[in-house]
Amino acid sequence: MTVIDKAFEALYASDDGSLDTAASLLAADPGADAERARRGEEFVRTLWGRGWQPADLVRVARRELSEEHVRLLVGLIRTETSRYERLPHRWQAQIEALGDPAVRPVDRFSQATTVLELYRLLVRLPRLDAVGPVPGEALPPVAPGEPRMLTRIRALLTKAEATGYPEEAEALTAKAQELMARHSLDEATLAVGAPSPETPGAIRIGVEPPYEQAKAILLDAVATANHCRAVWNEAYGFSTVVGFEADLDPVELLYTSLLVQGTAAMTRAEAEQRAGGRKRTKSFRQSFLLAYANRLGARLSATSRRVASEAPTLLPALASREVAVSARTDELFPETRVTRVRAAWDEAGWNHGATAADAAGLHPNRPHLP
């Protein structure tokens, strides 16, 4: 049995004492470093086949371990994925967002301990439902550039986040949602004219602490208004959004933007509270975000219904696509359950959140910017 084999037995032990002994073995044998790194890349590669993606691994490592472990993991991911000529759609953006993988110099025992703690986490991760191809599999042809519609939505939402004027943010965000709704109609039109073998796909979107429940509710509202379904995995900090491919990226864009706008509005509301002599409270922030998500969900859905009503002949096609999305969601998640909201209620926070949702929301009678 090699030093690596003997040390790695500790990955499956339940006590930290075994990990310390294993770290001592690895620290005393510099000749095992290359094999130790190769095994780490193998663990990562195995997790690709078990449904995990780069952002998923980094998210769970950040939740469970330290930044030293995250830096080590980022290095493993970059090395492992560099083996492939092409990566699946969305993987490259995830990898580019990982940050600096440089590991700080530490003594060999501490380094070996970090390695083993990370590897122990990796080998214990469960299988996830796959939401796309994995590296090494045959991939569809690369589409040149970003779809024009997505580029327009991104530009509108970037302006909405940057402006200091609520009226302007409202108009910009409204225009973005209207573009998304009209794009779904266009896709339904194409499906009616030339039935496609396309089936619903899925993406995972991180739902980060604090106030994960409120954020998951906001993502669900955005997904539902855009003919998608969202299923929250509280344990691993993400929601899986199921829908047709053309709807998935816009949902992620809009959710991210509304979260940025909501957080900024919450900060302003807290400043008003402090000016009035009231301290910030956790219940204020929770209630703010819950009201924000609740009110925005209604307004987003109202905009989608309004746009759909302009083309009543397409309603059956839209309904058919939503049935397909629901069926795919049930296939991926046959045992979903409803979660009760766990939050202390604060009236001021709720009122401020509802007001912020109105400001960031989608009023169909307001003039839209070009």
Side-chain angles (χ1 to χ4, degrees):
M1 179 180 289
T2 67
V3 169
I4 290 289
D5 290 331
K6 189 170 183 179
F8 278 21
E9 288 181 347
L11 302 181
Y12 306 93
S14 57
D15 62 297
D16 288 339
S18 298
L19 211 66
D20 290 341
T21 301
S24 296
L25 286 173
L26 292 178
D29 187 3
D33 289 358
E35 176 64 12
R36 182 186 72 191
R38 190 193 69 78
R39 295 283 187 96
E41 294 164 25
E42 189 175 280
F43 290 146
V44 168
R45 186 159 54 252
T46 298
L47 286 168
W48 301 156
R50 293 174 62 82
W52 291 80
Q53 295 185 356
D56 303 324
L57 292 184
V58 170
R59 188 182 305 113
V60 73
R62 185 163 280 126
R63 285 166 67 99
E64 300 293 333
L65 300 171
S66 72
E67 284 302 312
E68 290 298 323
H69 299 89
V70 171
R71 278 189 283 270
L72 174 62
L73 175 59
V74 168
L76 291 173
I77 291 172
R78 288 190 182 279
T79 301
E80 206 291 316
T81 55
S82 68
R83 302 168 57 247
Y84 307 99
E85 183 177 350
R86 279 184 60 202
L87 291 173
H89 176 50
R90 299 190 181 92
W91 280 56
Q92 192 58 50
Q94 290 185 28
I95 291 170
E96 290 172 358
L98 293 182
D100 183 7
V103 179
R104 297 171 183 170
V106 292
D107 62 89
R108 287 190 57 81
F109 177 78
S110 297
Q111 182 187 51
T113 300
T114 299
V115 168
L116 291 170
E117 288 171 342
L118 174 62
Y119 289 6
R120 180 171 62 179
L121 173 68
L122 297 181
V123 301
R124 294 179 178 183
L125 291 176
R127 181 179 294 277
L128 297 177
D129 294 291
V131 295
V134 300
E137 292 184 352
L139 301 174
V142 179
E146 184 177 72
R148 182 170 178 268
M149 180 275 304
L150 197 61
T151 301
R152 291 181 66 194
I153 290 173
R154 189 187 304 278
L156 287 166
L157 294 176
T158 298
K159 290 180 181 177
E161 293 165 26
T163 183
Y165 300 98
E167 291 289 322
E168 184 181 16
E170 176 183 350
L172 290 163
T173 308
K175 185 63 175 178
Q177 173 60 27
E178 185 169 319
L179 279 177
M180 292 167 65
R182 293 194 184 283
H183 183 65
S184 286
L185 281 181
D186 291 342
E187 292 293 312
T189 303
L190 291 174
V192 169
S196 167
E198 181 192 8
T199 57
I203 58 172
R204 293 195 192 100
I205 299 175
V207 180
E208 305 291 351
Y211 317 120
E212 299 97 316
Q213 278 194 327
K215 293 174 182 177
I217 290 170
L218 176 61
L219 176 53
D220 180 73
V222 174
T224 301
N226 291 283
H227 315 293
C228 297
R229 293 272 300 276
V231 178
W232 181 35
N233 186 318
E234 183 177 9
Y236 292 109
F238 62 78
S239 283
T240 302
V241 177
V242 183
F244 283 90
E245 187 65 29
D247 295 323
L248 295 176
D249 285 334
V251 164
E252 183 172 17
L253 275 177
L254 182 56
Y255 163 71
T256 302
S257 178
L258 289 174
L259 193 57
V260 169
Q261 294 181 55
T263 301
M266 183 173 66
T267 300
R268 291 193 296 269
E270 286 184 322
E272 293 176 11
Q273 292 288 296
R274 287 195 300 272
R278 174 175 172 167
K279 295 182 179 179
R280 295 187 305 171
T281 66
K282 181 178 180 180
S283 61
F284 176 90
R285 292 188 288 269
Q286 286 178 326
S287 297
F288 182 103
L289 290 174
L290 285 170
Y292 182 76
N294 181 67
R295 184 68 64 89
L296 268 176
R299 297 174 72 82
L300 290 166
S301 294
T303 295
S304 291
R305 288 193 301 270
R306 175 177 60 83
V307 171
S309 69
E310 297 172 5
T313 58
L314 292 177
L315 293 180
L318 283 174
S320 176
R321 289 167 72 85
E322 291 188 355
V323 167
V325 169
S326 294
R328 180 57 176 155
T329 304
D330 293 341
E331 179 184 341
L332 289 173
F333 306 102
E335 298 181 0
T336 57
R337 60 184 177 85
V338 176
T339 299
R340 295 178 63 87
V341 175
R342 301 184 302 274
W345 187 73
D346 181 286
E347 182 176 6
W350 182 273
N351 291 336
H352 277 286
T355 300
D358 288 339
L362 312 167
H363 197 294
N365 297 321
R366 294 287 176 85
H368 299 311
L369 300 185

